[in-house]
Amino acid sequence: KKCKKIARGGGAEQVHADAKAEEAEARCVKYSQTYHRKEGDAVVACHICKSPRGELFRACPQCHKKRSWAHVSCLVDQSLKYRNYRACRVCKSQFGRSVKLAIATAMWRRYVHDPESSSNRAEALFNLAHAVNLFADDDSEEAVALYEVCASSLRQFRPSDGLIVDVYEELGDVYEHLHRHEDSFAMRRASY
């Protein structure tokens, strides 16, 4: 029997995804509020939806001051539309690790209950694995687990999807970092 909080929240996987997304977003907002909110008295608005309401954070410090602020949800929508969560659409520079993790966890939160055959779910899981791997430093086991689930799902439901090659290549890199050379070689061979 599920506890009430989990039942109301949409299940354990959704509750966990919600908590991780909120944690990652809060980290970005706090950092932005502390180090970057020096716009004077001017109202800062999301450069995507143009709304000054909600939790805004500075997604891209390289952009012009007013073009760098955004809502996580707006960045997720933009990332899905243009199939790129790793770089700023305005100046093309790479997002920082915290921003990538915030976008990836929010994306996973949105698609966690999609069917395993869903391309949005597969891409969200791949992006989450990549972002978690950026934060992993020396311990990449959580990223390995996410990549392996993503690869398994793609093999089963979307074997001709080009994303599977990217998953194999990044999983091979993580295996290599963990000195799992045979696994790394197998992933690299599978990607060709």
Side-chain angles (χ1 to χ4, degrees):
K1 191 173 174 181
K2 291 182 188 177
C3 78
K4 289 180 184 177
K5 179 181 178 184
I6 290 175
R8 279 191 312 264
E13 197 171 25
Q14 184 67 56
V15 169
H16 182 71
D18 290 346
K20 288 296 190 180
E22 288 168 10
E23 178 183 307
E25 183 176 350
R27 182 183 303 124
C28 283
V29 169
K30 182 179 178 185
Y31 176 78
S32 294
Q33 301 289 335
T34 305
Y35 296 103
H36 296 297
R37 196 106 185 205
K38 296 175 183 163
E39 302 294 327
D41 294 328
V43 175
V44 177
C46 175
H47 77 274
I48 299 168
C49 74
K50 309 300 183 214
S51 173
R53 294 192 172 99
E55 292 285 354
L56 294 166
F57 71 97
R58 191 157 188 200
C60 183
Q62 284 78 20
C63 280
H64 182 269
K65 293 176 185 177
K66 292 185 182 191
R67 303 250 3 214
S68 64
W69 293 86
H71 298 106
V72 170
S73 60
C74 291
L75 286 170
V76 169
D77 292 342
Q78 193 176 61
S79 297
L80 292 168
K81 181 178 179 181
Y82 296 105
R83 295 289 190 228
N84 179 13
Y85 92 107
R86 297 178 187 188
C88 175
R89 290 266 313 141
V90 177
C91 72
K92 310 294 187 243
S93 63
Q94 290 287 310
F95 287 131
R97 295 184 319 171
S98 296
V99 174
K100 288 179 185 177
L101 186 61
I103 295 170
T105 55
M107 199 179 290
W108 177 244
R109 171 193 223 175
R110 185 178 293 181
Y111 295 113
V112 68
H113 282 301
D114 277 15
E116 285 191 55
S117 58
S118 162
S119 62
N120 286 335
R121 179 186 166 100
E123 188 167 338
L125 186 56
F126 172 67
N127 290 337
L128 181 61
H130 177 81
V132 166
N133 189 41
L134 291 174
F135 269 93
D137 295 325
D138 292 330
D139 181 20
S140 302
E141 290 301 329
E142 185 178 5
V144 166
L146 291 168
Y147 280 124
E148 287 175 344
V149 168
C150 187
S152 174
S153 178
L154 285 168
R155 274 194 303 269
Q156 184 176 359
F157 297 106
R158 305 178 66 78
S160 61
D161 193 323
L163 182 61
I164 199 165
V165 174
D166 295 335
V167 172
Y168 286 160
E169 287 176 356
E170 289 197 19
L171 183 54
D173 291 343
V174 175
Y175 282 149
E176 187 70 32
H177 179 74
L178 294 171
H179 304 290
R180 292 172 57 178
H181 303 295
E182 289 180 27
D183 292 329
S184 175
F185 181 71
M187 285 299 107
R188 293 179 195 291
R189 185 174 20 194
S191 70
Y192 288 104

